[in-house]
């Protein structure tokens, strides 16, 4: 009599043999043989991203470890590698697409010999995710669950007789949503004079039209069955004078209104993922964190002389900046006052043992803060080399997630722009950020000098602190330690 374990093993082996035989005998790929490739989450906080470029073409085979595409996150452009061997059967969302929700289907993959003729239909199964990816001109996927609720919303509106909002008629199923077999897409009939207009447009086209004030009733769709796409709206905005001269209501516009719209001296610049994230996080920080600010003036004479000596001694091999000294001094001050090297996590205050210093870098798409990890244990030359390398990759959008996610303390230096003094917004969950101004010449009393005064080089540093974790006395103590290291830079060597 066979044991339960032996029976289970035989059943598993039989199932594997059956799968292998059926796959070897078939002539076309069943739906189960194909796989949906979804927008991956490149970080724990990522909710949407863009496709910078596909590295493989449709029908091209790939091996495990090959780069399939480049994903644009809110901070950088990241390569996505294949986990297994396969074939990129169908690309559903093309290069340059933006605002694609994590989990949305962007491609269909399979194996050599698979039939990808039904890939689009396969991708649209199971909700609106596939339908959103299916619209190649539209980068914005439909919200989750929209496909399953479209028919319900339609029948509910029809029963109640409610008038839908303009651009969202009750008798129109969203393109790419709903049951395509039982309710095929049809272009809506021309609206009557007393009815609100019905526009057969993609969600992204509606969004852009709303933002730019483009009347969809005047846009001619070039998509399937007359569907208005993103490109149609953008072309109309750029080349059609009707957008500025014809009001959407059909009434006659005042004489000066159309002229002012046509000659508007402004440009609407779409926000990047990075800019959206910056706006969201900094707004939350300013609204939710109890900021307070402390400022000190630092004598830079000794530091500037020491920097000059170091740079001459290196004979051009390396060039230290003032910011390198600031990073080192901040790390040493955090070791001396560890309460400032902390984060508010709600139920606990996390106090870090190492100083991972974030250095703010301005890029064409927004601000990013690469991290100098364990800066207190590194020398000035190492800090300088790492800062330059990270800043270059940040400007090229090539930072890896672990190079900008995290950090325990941030430094923002606007001194090179001639800014004398400013206060910065804390980057949560960190507790502090240090704002550095320009170094300038100042006259101060000097009884020992024959003139009675002398010129000194001074720099202002302002600390923004979260009062939940860092009390005023702690912030002042940290600034005192930081000033001491900056004014006595030889202590870096001890």
């Amino acid at each position: 009599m066979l044991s339960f374990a032996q029976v289970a093993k035989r059943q598993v082996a039989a199932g594997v043999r059956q799968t292998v035989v059926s796959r070897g005998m078939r002539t076309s790929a069943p739906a189960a043989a194909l796989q949906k490739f979804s927008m991956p989450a490149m970080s724990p906080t990522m909710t949407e991203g863009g496709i910078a470029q596909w590295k493989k073409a449709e029908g091209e085979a790939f091996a495990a470890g090959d780069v399939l595409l480049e994903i644009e996150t809110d901070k950088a452009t990241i390569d996505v590698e294949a986990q297994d061997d396969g074939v990129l059967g169908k690309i559903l969302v093309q290069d340059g697409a933006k605002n694609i929700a994590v989990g949305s289907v962007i491609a269909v993959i399979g194996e050599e010999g698979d039939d990808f003729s039904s890939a689009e239909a396969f991708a649209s199964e199971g909700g609106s995710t596939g339908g959103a990816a299916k619209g190649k001109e539209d980068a914005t996927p439909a919200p989750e669950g929209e496909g399953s609720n479209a028919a319900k919303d339609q029948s509910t509106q029809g029963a109640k007789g409610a008038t839908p909002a303009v651009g969202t008629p009750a008798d129109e199923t969203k393109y790419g949503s709903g049951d395509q077999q039982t309710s095929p897409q049809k272009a809506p009939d021309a609206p009557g004079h007393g009815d609100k207009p019905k526009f057969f447009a993609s969600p992204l086209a509606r969004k852009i039209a709303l933002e730019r004030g483009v009347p969809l009733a005047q846009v001619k769709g070039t998509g399937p069955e007359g569907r208005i796409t993103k490109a149609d709206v953008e072309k109309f905005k750029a080349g059609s004078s009707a957008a500025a001269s014809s009001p959407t209501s059909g009434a006659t516009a005042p004489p000066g209104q159309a002229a002012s719209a046509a000659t508007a001296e402004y440009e609407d610049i779409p926000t990047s993922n990075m800019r959206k994230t910056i706006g969201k996080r900094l707004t939350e920080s300013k609204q939710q964190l109890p900021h307070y600010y402390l400022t000190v003036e630092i004598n830079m004479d000794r530091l500037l002389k020491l920097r000059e000596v170091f740079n001459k001694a290196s004979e051009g091999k390396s060039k230290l900046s003032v910011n390198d000294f600031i990073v080192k001094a901040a790390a040493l001050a955090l070791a001396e006052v560890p309460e400032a090297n902390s984060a508010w996590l709600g139920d606990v205050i996390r106090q870090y043992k190492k100083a991972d210093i974030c250095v703010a870098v301005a890029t064409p798409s927004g601000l990013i803060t690469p991290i100098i990890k364990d800066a207190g244990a590194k020398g000035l030359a190492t800090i300088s080399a790492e800062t330059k390398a990270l800043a270059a990759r940040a400007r090229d959008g090539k930072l890896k997630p672990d190079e900008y996610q995290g950090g325990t303390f941030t430094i923002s230096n606007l001194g090179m722009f001639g800014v004398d003094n400013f206060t910065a917004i804390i980057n949560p969950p960190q507790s502090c950020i240090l704002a550095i101004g320009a170094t300038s010449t100042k006259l101060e009393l000097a009884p020992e000098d024959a003139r009675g005064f002398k010129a000194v080089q001074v720099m202002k540093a302002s600390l923004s602190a979260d009062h939940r974790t860092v009390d005023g006395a702690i912030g002042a103590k940290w600034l005192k330690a930081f000033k001491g290291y900056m004014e006595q830079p030889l202590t870096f060597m001890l």
Side-chain angles (χ1 to χ4, degrees):
M1 188 172 186
L2 296 175
S3 66
F4 176 78
Q6 291 173 325
V7 173
K9 288 182 179 179
R10 289 190 177 186
Q11 290 176 343
V12 171
V16 171
R17 286 196 298 272
Q18 184 178 0
T19 302
V20 173
V21 171
S22 63
R23 187 167 182 84
M25 295 295 292
R26 65 180 172 83
T27 57
S28 63
L34 304 180
Q35 297 181 26
K36 299 177 182 179
F37 186 81
S38 302
M39 170 64 74
M42 309 308 294
S43 69
T45 59
M46 178 177 169
T47 58
E48 62 180 22
I51 296 178
Q53 183 182 10
W54 284 96
K55 296 298 185 180
K56 297 291 183 181
E58 284 190 1
E60 186 176 355
F62 56 83
D66 287 352
V67 177
L68 293 180
L69 74 160
E70 291 181 348
I71 295 292
E72 290 181 344
T73 70
D74 55 354
K75 294 293 185 181
T77 301
I78 303 174
D79 293 338
V80 177
E81 297 181 354
Q83 301 300 315
D84 300 294
D85 298 350
V87 175
L88 182 59
K90 186 67 176 178
I91 296 176
L92 301 172
V93 184
Q94 300 295 333
D95 295 351
K98 306 288 185 183
N99 306 323
I100 306 171
V102 170
S104 299
V105 180
I106 58 176
V108 175
I109 60 176
E111 299 181 4
E112 290 285 355
D114 284 347
D115 181 9
F116 293 99
S117 60
S118 60
E120 291 193 29
F122 168 71
S124 65
E125 294 175 359
S128 62
T129 309
K134 185 174 176 182
K136 297 182 180 179
E137 299 90 343
D138 307 318
T140 304
E144 183 179 354
E146 186 175 52
S148 61
N149 295 329
K152 295 180 181 179
D153 294 340
Q154 177 180 344
S155 60
T156 302
Q157 290 178 357
K160 294 182 179 180
T163 302
V166 174
T168 315
D171 58 349
E172 174 189 336
T173 305
K174 268 199 173 182
Y175 188 83
S177 302
D179 187 353
Q180 296 182 354
Q181 297 178 353
T182 59
S183 56
Q185 298 298 329
K186 294 182 180 179
D189 298 331
H193 294 289
D195 299 328
K196 292 189 177 181
K198 302 174 182 180
F199 308 126
F200 189 44
S202 68
L204 182 59
R206 295 175 189 274
K207 178 182 177 183
I208 296 176
L210 180 62
E211 292 175 348
R212 301 188 180 184
V214 176
L216 287 176
Q218 301 173 16
V219 179
K220 182 179 180 181
T222 60
E225 301 183 12
R227 178 173 179 253
I228 300 173
T229 66
K230 169 188 173 185
D232 297 330
V233 176
E234 291 179 339
K235 289 178 181 178
F236 182 88
K237 178 68 175 178
S240 176
S241 60
S245 60
S246 301
T248 58
S249 63
T252 303
Q257 183 175 342
S260 62
T263 59
E265 297 181 357
Y266 62 83
E267 178 185 3
D268 291 330
I269 301 174
T271 54
S272 64
N273 289 334
M274 179 185 289
R275 179 56 58 188
K276 290 178 181 177
T277 301
I278 291 172
K280 180 175 180 292
R281 288 177 59 85
L282 294 187
T283 300
E284 291 175 352
S285 174
K286 197 66 174 175
Q287 290 176 344
Q288 300 176 11
L289 273 61
H291 287 60
Y292 71 90
Y293 311 97
L294 302 172
T295 302
V296 294
E297 190 174 77
I298 300 170
N299 188 317
M300 298 290 288
D301 285 346
R302 292 177 180 175
L303 188 147
L304 294 177
K305 290 179 181 178
L306 183 62
R307 171 177 173 260
E308 184 180 358
V309 171
F310 283 168
N311 287 339
K312 285 184 179 179
S314 67
E315 297 180 350
K317 295 179 181 179
S318 63
K319 185 177 180 181
L320 300 179
S321 67
V322 173
N323 205 64
D324 300 329
F325 286 86
I326 293 171
V327 171
K328 180 68 175 181
L332 295 176
L334 288 173
E336 188 172 326
V337 188
E339 295 90 344
N341 196 28
S342 61
W344 175 267
L345 300 182
D347 295 333
V348 297
I349 295 175
R350 178 170 296 172
Q351 193 171 112
Y352 299 99
K353 297 180 180 180
K354 295 180 179 180
D356 294 338
I357 307 296
C358 300
V359 180
V361 176
T363 70
S365 55
L367 192 70
I368 192 169
T369 53
I371 306 169
I372 309 296
K373 297 183 178 179
D374 197 10
K378 296 177 178 177
L380 290 170
T382 302
I383 291 174
S384 179
E386 286 190 15
T387 302
K388 289 181 175 67
L390 288 170
R393 289 203 294 277
R395 294 186 182 97
D396 293 337
K398 297 295 183 182
L399 284 178
K400 298 177 181 178
D402 63 318
E403 292 177 328
Y404 62 82
Q405 292 178 356
T408 65
F409 188 94
T410 300
I411 296 173
S412 180
N413 190 344
L414 296 180
M416 67 282 294
F417 298 104
V419 177
D420 181 61
N421 185 31
F422 73 103
T423 56
I425 301 175
I426 299 170
N427 185 24
Q430 296 177 13
S431 294
C432 299
I433 182 171
L434 184 67
I436 301 296
T439 300
S440 58
T441 303
K442 176 185 176 182
L443 297 179
E444 65 177 28
L445 295 175
E448 69 280 4
D449 193 289
R451 297 173 299 176
F453 66 90
K454 64 178 180 178
V456 295
Q457 299 291 310
V458 296
M459 180 189 76
K460 290 184 179 180
S462 298
L463 179 71
S464 304
D466 183 349
H467 217 313
R468 298 174 302 179
T469 54
V470 179
D471 292 333
I474 298 297
K477 185 178 178 182
W478 184 89
L479 266 183
K480 181 180 179 181
F482 174 74
K483 179 179 179 178
Y485 284 115
M486 292 291 288
E487 292 185 342
Q488 302 292 337
L490 286 177
T491 54
F492 293 0
M493 313 296 117
L494 300 179

